[in-house]
């Protein structure tokens, strides 16, 4: 009898290299993120039926409009860890300050950060969305635990809400992809130790914002568009409004996602948040053989000064990120 592919539960218990008690707790934490992902997927599936699309009438710490489902996804994630003492506190794009749990705050091994609903502009049009998460070791249980390099992440990943609901994660031993089988309500392993293409044919960037970019960013994107079959150009534009969806495409097909600093629309340091967007996606992509950079620095080496710090962000195949860095570093600083 051929054995079915392992569920997330089985994979974590059997395949996480050192199934020590600490890892068992990490496995439990990842499993709970899977449950939260299934609950968020269900909220998205019935959003029109329940009339839960649309604005919540509030703004996040960056002054961005919050959708009802942004807030709902955040609530689901916060309540998912309010028992069992696994996590001492959580930080989120949707909360100005971390949420500290009373139970277990002292003994918890981990802290958790997330962007509960990445790609919010897609919420009202049933587009691709994602939940991004980053797991870090708890130190003294204060916000300072978080203001550290991305290399200190214990695990990271995302839930992709597309035609299929996918759970993608790494704990530093490869990047693994699980797909939700609705018939059994479990995430099932579909790709183990994913290796992404070293070079792609697509690029994801919002060219409507090019007026605010630096010259090097404009020159790089124009270079990708120039016809030159010997170097696989022109590249195709693939920009969905959801970074998780765009990065997942790049994880499978290769290419590059770019959100440059944009001086003309109030994002002089870029839009993408370092701690709970760039760091986790960089961990996942590097473990699959790709790269993540600001154009000058490796994203995982960066430590934020503030919880919601944003950076210029380029992530994808090694060849394209190397090429992008060449344009940025070659530019007069
Ligand atoms: P723009 C969503 O808020 C997000 O952070 C990414 O998911 C997405 O790629 C980007 O912002 C879209 O931003 O400025 O192109 O609308």
């Amino acid at each position: 009898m051929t054995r079915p592919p392992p569920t997330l539960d089985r994979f974590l218990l059997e395949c996480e290299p050192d199934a020590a008690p600490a890892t068992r707790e990490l496995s439990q934490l990842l499993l709970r993120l899977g449950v939260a992902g299934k609950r968020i997927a269900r909220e998205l599936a019935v959003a029109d039926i329940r009339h839960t699309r649309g604005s919540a009438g509030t703004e996040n710490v960056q002054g961005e409009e919050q959708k009802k489902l942004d807030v709902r996804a955040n609530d689901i994630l916060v309540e998912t860890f309010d028992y069992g003492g696994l996590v001492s506190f959580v930080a989120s794009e949707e909360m100005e300050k971390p949420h500290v749990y009373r139970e277990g705050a002292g003994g918890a091994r981990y802290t958790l950060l997330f962007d509960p609903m990445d790609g919010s502009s897609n919420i009202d049009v049933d587009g691709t969305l994602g939940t991004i998460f980053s797991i870090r070791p708890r130190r003294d249980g204060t916000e300072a635990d978080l203001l550290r390099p991305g290399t200190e992440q214990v695990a990271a990943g995302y839930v992709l809400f597309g035609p299929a609901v996918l759970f993608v994660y790494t704990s530093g031993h490869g990047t693994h992809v699980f797909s939700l089988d609705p018939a059994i309500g479990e995430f099932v392993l579909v790709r183990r130790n994913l290796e992404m293409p070293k070079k792609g044919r697509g690029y994801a960037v919002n060219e409507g914002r090019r007026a605010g970019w630096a010259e090097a960013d404009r020159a790089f994107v124009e270079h990708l568009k120039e016809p030159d079959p010997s170097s696989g150009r022109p590249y195709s534009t693939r920009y969905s409004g959801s970074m998780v969806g765009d990065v997942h495409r790049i994880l499978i097909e290769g290419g590059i996602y770019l959100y440059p600093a944009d001086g003309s629309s109030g994002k002089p340091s870029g839009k993408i948040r370092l701690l709970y967007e760039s760091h986790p996606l960089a961990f996942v992509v590097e473990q699959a053989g790709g790269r993540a950079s600001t154009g000058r620095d490796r994203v995982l080496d960066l430590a934020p000064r503030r919880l919601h710090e944003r950076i210029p962000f380029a992530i994808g195949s090694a060849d394209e990120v190397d090429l992008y860095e060449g344009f940025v570093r070659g530019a007069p600083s």
Side-chain angles (χ1 to χ4, degrees), residues 64 93 115 117-121 206 209 239 241-244 246 257 259 267 271-273 277:
E64 297 166 337
E93 175 178 309
D115 176 1
M117 192 59 78
D118 173 71
S120 301
S121 61
N206 182 346
R209 302 199 182 276
Y239 191 72
S242 161
M243 175 169 59
V244 171
D246 294 334
Y257 170 96
Y259 205 105
K267 306 183 191 79
K271 177 179 185 180
I272 308 302
R273 291 78 170 178
E277 292 180 317

mmCIF file of all heavy atoms in Angstrom, residues 64 93 115 117-121 206 209 239 241-244 246 257 259 267 271-273 277, ligand 1:
data_model
loop_
_atom_site.group_PDB
_atom_site.id
_atom_site.type_symbol
_atom_site.label_atom_id
_atom_site.label_comp_id
_atom_site.label_asym_id
_atom_site.label_seq_id
_atom_site.Cartn_x
_atom_site.Cartn_y
_atom_site.Cartn_z
ATOM 1 N N GLU A 64 -2.684 53.364 7.064
ATOM 2 C CA GLU A 64 -3.360 52.658 5.960
ATOM 3 C C GLU A 64 -4.741 52.185 6.408
ATOM 4 O O GLU A 64 -4.888 51.704 7.541
ATOM 5 C CB GLU A 64 -2.514 51.446 5.520
ATOM 6 C CG GLU A 64 -1.145 51.828 4.963
ATOM 7 C CD GLU A 64 -0.197 50.630 4.861
ATOM 8 O OE1 GLU A 64 -0.414 49.631 5.597
ATOM 9 O OE2 GLU A 64 0.752 50.694 4.069
ATOM 10 N N GLU A 93 1.273 43.819 12.029
ATOM 11 C CA GLU A 93 1.117 45.044 11.223
ATOM 12 C C GLU A 93 -0.111 45.816 11.677
ATOM 13 O O GLU A 93 -0.185 47.029 11.541
ATOM 14 C CB GLU A 93 0.978 44.651 9.745
ATOM 15 C CG GLU A 93 0.697 45.823 8.812
ATOM 16 C CD GLU A 93 0.622 45.402 7.351
ATOM 17 O OE1 GLU A 93 1.562 44.726 6.887
ATOM 18 O OE2 GLU A 93 -0.367 45.755 6.686
ATOM 19 N N ASP A 115 1.988 39.516 9.605
ATOM 20 C CA ASP A 115 1.120 40.369 8.804
ATOM 21 C C ASP A 115 -0.102 39.508 8.538
ATOM 22 O O ASP A 115 -0.032 38.579 7.731
ATOM 23 C CB ASP A 115 1.810 40.774 7.492
ATOM 24 C CG ASP A 115 0.876 41.589 6.606
ATOM 25 O OD1 ASP A 115 -0.277 41.837 7.036
ATOM 26 O OD2 ASP A 115 1.281 41.943 5.485
ATOM 27 N N MET A 117 -2.976 39.806 7.074
ATOM 28 C CA MET A 117 -3.637 39.762 5.770
ATOM 29 C C MET A 117 -2.829 40.618 4.803
ATOM 30 O O MET A 117 -3.085 41.816 4.635
ATOM 31 C CB MET A 117 -5.077 40.270 5.898
ATOM 32 C CG MET A 117 -5.920 40.005 4.673
ATOM 33 S SD MET A 117 -6.035 38.278 4.252
ATOM 34 C CE MET A 117 -7.237 37.757 5.464
ATOM 35 N N ASP A 118 -1.848 39.984 4.151
ATOM 36 C CA ASP A 118 -1.021 40.725 3.193
ATOM 37 C C ASP A 118 -1.730 40.767 1.844
ATOM 38 O O ASP A 118 -2.257 39.759 1.382
ATOM 39 C CB ASP A 118 0.325 40.019 3.038
ATOM 40 C CG ASP A 118 1.146 40.652 1.935
ATOM 41 O OD1 ASP A 118 1.618 41.784 2.130
ATOM 42 O OD2 ASP A 118 1.263 40.038 0.856
ATOM 43 N N GLY A 119 -1.746 41.969 1.258
ATOM 44 C CA GLY A 119 -2.425 42.118 -0.047
ATOM 45 C C GLY A 119 -3.833 42.647 0.121
ATOM 46 O O GLY A 119 -4.724 42.363 -0.660
ATOM 47 N N SER A 120 -4.020 43.447 1.184
ATOM 48 C CA SER A 120 -5.379 43.891 1.566
ATOM 49 C C SER A 120 -6.167 44.516 0.421
ATOM 50 O O SER A 120 -7.387 44.443 0.401
ATOM 51 C CB SER A 120 -5.289 44.902 2.715
ATOM 52 O OG SER A 120 -4.646 44.310 3.814
ATOM 53 N N SER A 121 -5.450 45.105 -0.547
ATOM 54 C CA SER A 121 -6.193 45.730 -1.661
ATOM 55 C C SER A 121 -6.931 44.668 -2.483
ATOM 56 O O SER A 121 -7.787 44.978 -3.302
ATOM 57 C CB SER A 121 -5.234 46.522 -2.564
ATOM 58 O OG SER A 121 -4.259 45.643 -3.117
ATOM 59 N N ASN A 206 5.163 47.565 -8.937
ATOM 60 C CA ASN A 206 4.082 48.480 -9.329
ATOM 61 C C ASN A 206 4.678 49.639 -10.120
ATOM 62 O O ASN A 206 5.148 50.635 -9.550
ATOM 63 C CB ASN A 206 3.361 49.011 -8.078
ATOM 64 C CG ASN A 206 2.205 49.937 -8.468
ATOM 65 O OD1 ASN A 206 2.111 50.384 -9.609
ATOM 66 N ND2 ASN A 206 1.340 50.212 -7.508
ATOM 67 N N ARG A 209 4.242 53.527 -9.818
ATOM 68 C CA ARG A 209 4.906 54.370 -8.813
ATOM 69 C C ARG A 209 6.332 54.738 -9.215
ATOM 70 O O ARG A 209 7.120 55.234 -8.428
ATOM 71 C CB ARG A 209 4.914 53.629 -7.473
ATOM 72 C CG ARG A 209 3.507 53.260 -6.977
ATOM 73 C CD ARG A 209 3.485 52.973 -5.515
ATOM 74 N NE ARG A 209 2.160 52.576 -5.042
ATOM 75 C CZ ARG A 209 1.184 53.414 -4.706
ATOM 76 N NH1 ARG A 209 1.379 54.716 -4.834
ATOM 77 N NH2 ARG A 209 0.018 52.977 -4.278
ATOM 78 N N TYR A 239 2.397 41.233 -11.513
ATOM 79 C CA TYR A 239 2.204 41.968 -10.242
ATOM 80 C C TYR A 239 0.743 41.875 -9.848
ATOM 81 O O TYR A 239 -0.124 42.344 -10.569
ATOM 82 C CB TYR A 239 2.605 43.442 -10.409
ATOM 83 C CG TYR A 239 2.700 44.214 -9.111
ATOM 84 C CD1 TYR A 239 3.741 43.991 -8.223
ATOM 85 C CD2 TYR A 239 1.736 45.169 -8.764
ATOM 86 C CE1 TYR A 239 3.846 44.706 -7.030
ATOM 87 C CE2 TYR A 239 1.826 45.883 -7.571
ATOM 88 C CZ TYR A 239 2.880 45.647 -6.709
ATOM 89 O OH TYR A 239 2.971 46.340 -5.523
ATOM 90 N N GLY A 241 -0.667 42.629 -6.614
ATOM 91 C CA GLY A 241 -1.180 43.422 -5.486
ATOM 92 C C GLY A 241 -1.041 42.678 -4.166
ATOM 93 O O GLY A 241 -1.302 43.232 -3.096
ATOM 94 N N SER A 242 -0.610 41.418 -4.245
ATOM 95 C CA SER A 242 -0.349 40.654 -3.020
ATOM 96 C C SER A 242 1.086 40.135 -3.087
ATOM 97 O O SER A 242 1.411 39.290 -3.937
ATOM 98 C CB SER A 242 -1.319 39.461 -2.914
ATOM 99 O OG SER A 242 -0.793 38.496 -2.008
ATOM 100 N N MET A 243 1.922 40.637 -2.203
ATOM 101 C CA MET A 243 3.339 40.233 -2.221
ATOM 102 C C MET A 243 3.467 38.731 -1.986
ATOM 103 O O MET A 243 4.269 38.072 -2.660
ATOM 104 C CB MET A 243 4.110 40.988 -1.147
ATOM 105 C CG MET A 243 5.550 40.575 -1.003
ATOM 106 S SD MET A 243 6.493 41.693 0.032
ATOM 107 C CE MET A 243 5.592 41.601 1.576
ATOM 108 N N VAL A 244 2.658 38.151 -1.109
ATOM 109 C CA VAL A 244 2.752 36.711 -0.854
ATOM 110 C C VAL A 244 2.481 35.943 -2.140
ATOM 111 O O VAL A 244 3.213 35.010 -2.494
ATOM 112 C CB VAL A 244 1.782 36.267 0.260
ATOM 113 C CG1 VAL A 244 1.706 34.751 0.370
ATOM 114 C CG2 VAL A 244 2.214 36.853 1.595
ATOM 115 N N ASP A 246 2.816 37.046 -5.246
ATOM 116 C CA ASP A 246 3.897 37.300 -6.220
ATOM 117 C C ASP A 246 5.165 36.536 -5.833
ATOM 118 O O ASP A 246 5.839 35.953 -6.687
ATOM 119 C CB ASP A 246 4.196 38.799 -6.299
ATOM 120 C CG ASP A 246 3.027 39.600 -6.878
ATOM 121 O OD1 ASP A 246 2.226 39.016 -7.642
ATOM 122 O OD2 ASP A 246 2.904 40.788 -6.547
ATOM 123 N N TYR A 257 10.656 40.134 -7.164
ATOM 124 C CA TYR A 257 9.644 41.061 -6.650
ATOM 125 C C TYR A 257 10.396 42.273 -6.113
ATOM 126 O O TYR A 257 11.423 42.129 -5.440
ATOM 127 C CB TYR A 257 8.827 40.413 -5.525
ATOM 128 C CG TYR A 257 7.920 41.380 -4.787
ATOM 129 C CD1 TYR A 257 6.579 41.505 -5.127
ATOM 130 C CD2 TYR A 257 8.413 42.191 -3.762
ATOM 131 C CE1 TYR A 257 5.745 42.397 -4.460
ATOM 132 C CE2 TYR A 257 7.596 43.105 -3.099
ATOM 133 C CZ TYR A 257 6.268 43.197 -3.452
ATOM 134 O OH TYR A 257 5.446 44.099 -2.802
ATOM 135 N N TYR A 259 9.871 46.247 -4.298
ATOM 136 C CA TYR A 259 9.128 47.415 -3.832
ATOM 137 C C TYR A 259 10.162 48.466 -3.443
ATOM 138 O O TYR A 259 10.635 48.482 -2.296
ATOM 139 C CB TYR A 259 8.170 47.119 -2.676
ATOM 140 C CG TYR A 259 7.050 48.136 -2.674
ATOM 141 C CD1 TYR A 259 5.774 47.810 -3.105
ATOM 142 C CD2 TYR A 259 7.288 49.469 -2.333
ATOM 143 C CE1 TYR A 259 4.758 48.756 -3.157
ATOM 144 C CE2 TYR A 259 6.298 50.437 -2.403
ATOM 145 C CZ TYR A 259 5.032 50.073 -2.819
ATOM 146 O OH TYR A 259 4.025 51.028 -2.908
ATOM 147 N N LYS A 267 6.708 57.089 0.940
ATOM 148 C CA LYS A 267 7.404 55.872 1.361
ATOM 149 C C LYS A 267 8.893 56.001 1.058
ATOM 150 O O LYS A 267 9.456 55.213 0.292
ATOM 151 C CB LYS A 267 6.811 54.649 0.658
ATOM 152 C CG LYS A 267 5.301 54.490 0.826
ATOM 153 C CD LYS A 267 4.822 53.207 0.156
ATOM 154 C CE LYS A 267 3.303 53.185 0.075
ATOM 155 N NZ LYS A 267 2.801 54.020 -1.050
ATOM 156 N N LYS A 271 7.870 50.452 1.371
ATOM 157 C CA LYS A 271 6.576 50.141 1.989
ATOM 158 C C LYS A 271 6.630 48.872 2.820
ATOM 159 O O LYS A 271 5.895 48.715 3.786
ATOM 160 C CB LYS A 271 5.510 49.987 0.894
ATOM 161 C CG LYS A 271 4.151 49.580 1.434
ATOM 162 C CD LYS A 271 3.095 49.460 0.353
ATOM 163 C CE LYS A 271 1.724 49.175 0.959
ATOM 164 N NZ LYS A 271 0.673 49.042 -0.062
ATOM 165 N N ILE A 272 7.496 47.948 2.437
ATOM 166 C CA ILE A 272 7.453 46.604 3.029
ATOM 167 C C ILE A 272 8.115 46.613 4.396
ATOM 168 O O ILE A 272 9.224 47.119 4.579
ATOM 169 C CB ILE A 272 8.139 45.592 2.082
ATOM 170 C CG1 ILE A 272 7.556 45.708 0.665
ATOM 171 C CG2 ILE A 272 7.991 44.173 2.615
ATOM 172 C CD1 ILE A 272 6.060 45.498 0.560
ATOM 173 N N ARG A 273 7.393 46.015 5.381
ATOM 174 C CA ARG A 273 7.872 46.024 6.766
ATOM 175 C C ARG A 273 8.946 44.969 6.967
ATOM 176 O O ARG A 273 8.802 43.821 6.545
ATOM 177 C CB ARG A 273 6.710 45.775 7.740
ATOM 178 C CG ARG A 273 5.701 46.917 7.816
ATOM 179 C CD ARG A 273 4.772 46.912 6.634
ATOM 180 N NE ARG A 273 3.659 47.840 6.789
ATOM 181 C CZ ARG A 273 2.750 48.013 5.833
ATOM 182 N NH1 ARG A 273 2.839 47.346 4.686
ATOM 183 N NH2 ARG A 273 1.746 48.854 6.014
ATOM 184 N N GLU A 277 7.314 41.142 7.358
ATOM 185 C CA GLU A 277 7.126 40.842 5.921
ATOM 186 C C GLU A 277 8.459 40.432 5.287
ATOM 187 O O GLU A 277 8.609 39.315 4.803
ATOM 188 C CB GLU A 277 6.533 42.064 5.194
ATOM 189 C CG GLU A 277 5.090 42.379 5.594
ATOM 190 C CD GLU A 277 4.507 43.585 4.867
ATOM 191 O OE1 GLU A 277 5.199 44.614 4.729
ATOM 192 O OE2 GLU A 277 3.338 43.511 4.415
HETATM 193 P P1 LIG B 1 0.967 49.036 -3.956
HETATM 194 C C1 LIG B 1 0.116 44.861 0.591
HETATM 195 O O1 LIG B 1 -0.248 45.954 1.451
HETATM 196 C C2 LIG B 1 1.538 45.052 0.166
HETATM 197 O O2 LIG B 1 2.328 45.195 1.281
HETATM 198 C C3 LIG B 1 1.994 43.881 -0.711
HETATM 199 O O3 LIG B 1 1.280 42.723 -0.451
HETATM 200 C C4 LIG B 1 1.783 44.376 -2.118
HETATM 201 O O4 LIG B 1 2.744 43.842 -3.031
HETATM 202 C C5 LIG B 1 1.960 45.892 -1.984
HETATM 203 O O5 LIG B 1 1.636 46.236 -0.651
HETATM 204 C C6 LIG B 1 1.054 46.638 -2.920
HETATM 205 O O6 LIG B 1 1.343 48.012 -2.771
HETATM 206 O O7 LIG B 1 1.619 50.335 -3.547
HETATM 207 O O8 LIG B 1 1.552 48.449 -5.235
HETATM 208 O O9 LIG B 1 -0.543 49.081 -3.995
#
